[in-house]
Amino acid sequence: MAMFFEGESHTFSEYLLVPGYSSSQNIPQNVSLRTPLVRFAKGEESPLTLNIPMTSAIMQSVSGPKLAVALAQQGGLSFIFGSQTPQDEADMVREVKASKAGFVVSAVNLTPNMTLEQVMELKAESGYSTMPVTDDGTAHGKLLGLVTTRDWRPSRDPLDKPVHAFMTPREKLIVASDETSLHDCNDMIWEHKLNALPIVDKEGCLVSIVFRKDYDSHKENPLELLDEHKRYLVGAGINTRDFAERVPLLVEAGADVLCIDSSEGYSEWQKITIDWIRERYGTDVKVGAGNVVDAEGFRYLADCGADFVKVGIGGGSICITREQKGIGRGQASALIDVCAERDKYFEETGIYVPVCSDGGIVYDYHMTLALAMGADFLMLGRYFARFDESPTRRLNVNGNYVKEYWGEGSARARNWQRYDLGGNKKGLSFVEGVDSYVPYAGSLKDGVDGSLAKVRSTMCNCGALDLEELRNKAKITLVSATSLVEGGAHDVILKDSTEANFR
């Protein structure tokens, strides 16, 4: 006879946090959201930590280089999507690692023989007003000059005027060597009243640019997630099919952590993948695994050597695995079960394996509930797909701005490796995801700041100043359907809707 879990399978919306005692120290600015990313032994610290408990999903429509940099600036981490060629994924990782904090690798570059018309087109496409001129038009060619909007006037200069005729030449530029610290570069910018300072190597080739505007940006982002070389941390997704080819390329490109991207992780294929990595790299290469939805699945992956374990099957907004295959579990129930097993595992072995809650987050308060239930950090897809920095198009649909968002199991992505169960067949037998839109939500920084402001405030209501304290002090209650109605605006006529009817 089948095994039956006791009770119902619950989602986050079925729970509320009950406030606890708050001291005068429980104010949002005192709250730390720092959390471990990978496994560590009792009495030690995790080799990798997040400054905020947020990672972006391993999805084509979410995690590209631009979002990876933006999220790292806020203290979180992106996992570059793996449903592309190993070389393309490695190139994306390399692009993020090249974006050293404060040192920007130029994305738009000119050659001396390009025309003003081409410069204007590039400015319109990219939005960049400062463009270096190199001998080969690449980001690391020999620096010949710099073009800014102060160097040309479209109302007077002919459109066929060559770049070399109006650029500021190399000999008139103030530059810094690639051995100059960011602090000294900023001092040079202020001393010489510059907007941009090119960084060059001993051969005179462009390495990067330091911008005056980024000085304020770094002051505004004290939680930036950086490695020892002041480069942004970035993760990458792998699968259980081509890991022997993909992993070496990602490691060489500088990926800080890997994650096996699979719809169901309680599988020998994950063990084979982890064993292969351990045999060749030991514990130097960190790799997460998943997804699972119960204690048994967590224990299996922890014993396999996973550095963290992802929890969640079928809870994503674009995922239809549950209705297609009838497998999964309510995200809250799955998370509570797995986190209890994580703590038990820690007591037995002295090894702490962080848990990532993947899916089921609809409202900001769900984040706090997931963390209170035991999640060390969250993986979010729909949430990040809404922002400017996600790699999808922004569209106007029926008068509303939206961004495209599709699942890895959709016909559009066709990420068969994520849903593969072995054998020789290479393709999706049926879809497990949909193609959709999500409401456009502006910049990532503004969105993350707003969401985490709520998380910090709720933690203060619970008397907690860090995530461990939140888990220990949280009081959580199930709510009825009637309570859910009571929790929102009810029995009133909202002004917005009334005013709309009068227009």
Side-chain angles (χ1 to χ4, degrees):
M1 183 176 177
M3 172 194 169
F4 286 84
F5 285 87
E6 293 184 7
E8 298 174 329
S9 179
H10 295 289
T11 66
F12 293 128
S13 287
E14 296 175 79
Y15 291 92
L16 285 176
L17 284 156
V18 176
Y21 170 74
S22 300
S23 75
S24 59
Q25 296 301 307
N26 288 120
I27 55 177
Q29 52 263 47
N30 289 343
V31 172
S32 169
L33 295 177
R34 188 174 171 85
T35 190
L37 176 64
V38 297
R39 68 161 56 203
F40 59 95
K42 187 175 183 179
E44 299 178 357
E45 290 189 2
S46 175
L48 290 173
T49 58
L50 301 171
N51 290 329
I52 62 171
M54 303 174 82
T55 62
S56 67
I58 310 169
M59 300 175 68
Q60 296 174 9
S61 56
V62 179
S63 295
K66 188 175 181 181
L67 188 132
V69 170
L71 183 51
Q73 287 175 339
Q74 301 310 307
L77 182 104
S78 285
F79 285 91
I80 299 297
F81 67 92
S83 50
Q84 57 181 321
T85 68
Q87 187 59 59
D88 286 346
E89 185 180 10
D91 287 343
M92 285 191 176
V93 169
R94 194 172 287 108
E95 182 179 340
V96 177
K97 298 306 289 187
S99 300
K100 192 173 180 181
F103 294 88
V104 179
V105 176
S106 179
V108 179
N109 306 279
L110 309 173
T111 62
N113 293 322
M114 292 177 70
T115 64
L116 174 58
E117 184 176 20
Q118 291 174 301
V119 172
M120 293 171 63
E121 289 175 354
L122 283 172
K123 182 181 182 300
E125 292 173 6
S126 67
Y128 294 112
S129 59
T130 298
M131 306 178 201
V133 184
T134 59
D135 59 345
D136 58 3
T138 68
H140 300 298
K142 189 175 182 63
L143 182 64
L144 302 179
L146 198 68
V147 169
T148 71
T149 51
R150 295 177 300 177
D151 294 314
W152 47 271
R153 295 179 66 181
S155 60
R156 294 189 179 184
D157 295 324
L159 294 178
D160 60 353
K161 188 175 184 178
V163 165
H164 64 77
F166 61 87
M167 70 179 185
T168 302
R170 166 66 179 81
E171 55 269 19
K172 292 186 178 180
L173 293 175
I174 294 174
V175 301
S177 76
D178 56 356
E179 297 179 355
T180 309
S181 70
L182 181 59
H183 180 274
D184 289 341
C185 287
N186 283 322
D187 284 346
M188 292 176 67
I189 285 175
W190 287 99
E191 179 184 351
H192 297 284
K193 300 180 180 179
L194 305 174
N195 287 323
L197 177 68
I199 310 298
V200 297
D201 62 18
K202 294 178 180 178
E203 284 73 41
C205 293
L206 181 66
V207 176
S208 58
I209 304 174
V210 177
F211 291 95
R212 173 189 288 263
K213 64 180 177 64
D214 286 339
Y215 176 81
D216 293 332
S217 173
H218 291 293
K219 292 295 182 182
E220 293 173 2
N221 300 320
L223 297 178
E224 283 183 319
L225 196 63
L226 308 173
D227 64 18
E228 64 273 18
H229 302 295
K230 303 296 183 183
R231 301 174 303 180
Y232 297 114
L233 262 62
V234 63
I238 61 174
N239 62 69
T240 59
R241 277 286 191 168
D242 65 7
F243 54 85
E245 176 188 3
R246 189 175 297 269
V247 170
L249 290 175
L250 295 174
V251 171
E252 190 275 332
D256 297 284
V257 59
L258 307 176
C259 183
I260 302 173
D261 184 30
S262 173
S263 64
E264 201 282 296
Y266 192 1
S267 159
E268 185 182 4
W269 299 108
Q270 300 234 342
K271 183 180 188 303
I272 292 170
T273 305
I274 294 172
D275 286 347
W276 187 91
I277 292 173
R278 295 291 176 248
E279 288 170 5
R280 286 155 181 79
Y281 298 99
T283 58
D284 291 339
V285 172
K286 308 300 181 184
V287 55
N291 288 18
V292 298
V293 290
D294 66 1
E296 195 175 316
F298 170 87
R299 174 75 62 156
Y300 174 77
L301 292 178
D303 286 341
C304 287
D307 285 297
F308 64 85
V309 174
K310 283 204 297 163
V311 177
I313 294 177
S317 59
I318 41 68
C319 184
I320 55 173
T321 293
R322 294 182 193 175
E323 62 183 62
Q324 288 282 63
K325 297 171 66 174
I327 65 169
R329 195 178 185 188
Q331 187 66 11
S333 295
L335 184 60
I336 293 167
D337 194 0
V338 169
C339 289
E341 188 67 14
R342 174 204 57 202
D343 294 344
K344 183 179 177 182
Y345 190 85
F346 181 52
E347 291 176 5
E348 294 175 4
T349 67
I351 301 297
Y352 188 91
V353 181
V355 166
C356 169
S357 180
D358 178 18
I361 302 293
V362 180
Y363 305 110
D364 288 343
Y365 82 90
H366 288 173
M367 297 181 188
T368 319
L369 275 168
L371 296 168
M373 290 174 179
D376 293 280
F377 59 96
L378 316 173
M379 181 169 280
L380 305 162
R382 179 198 61 85
Y383 179 86
F384 286 118
R386 305 172 303 147
F387 297 131
D388 288 318
E389 293 84 356
S390 74
T392 64
R393 296 181 299 170
R394 187 183 74 171
L395 304 172
N396 189 311
V397 177
N398 297 326
N400 297 309
Y401 282 108
V402 297
K403 293 207 73 177
E404 295 177 299
Y405 180 46
W406 60 91
E408 289 297 293
S410 67
R412 181 171 184 171
R414 302 204 67 80
N415 182 4
W416 65 270
Q417 295 96 330
R418 188 178 198 275
Y419 301 88
D420 184 47
L421 296 175
N424 297 319
K425 189 173 183 179
K426 296 186 177 181
L428 287 173
S429 301
F430 51 88
V431 297
E432 294 188 44
V434 300
D435 198 338
S436 64
Y437 301 120
V438 288
Y440 168 65
S443 75
L444 181 146
K445 175 177 171 52
D446 290 343
V448 168
D449 283 348
S451 296
L452 294 185
K454 298 176 188 177
V455 172
R456 291 186 176 96
S457 179
T458 305
M459 287 174 63
C460 290
N461 294 143
C462 296
L465 291 177
D466 59 46
L467 296 180
E468 183 178 3
E469 191 174 19
L470 174 65
R471 289 194 291 269
N472 292 332
K473 289 187 174 181
K475 297 181 291 183
I476 302 174
T477 181
L478 271 168
V479 296
S480 68
T482 305
S483 293
L484 289 173
V485 175
E486 179 187 58
H490 60 90
D491 301 316
V492 295
I493 300 172
L494 297 180
K495 286 186 176 181
D496 288 347
S497 59
T498 303
E499 290 173 358
N501 290 333
F502 284 132
R503 291 193 185 103

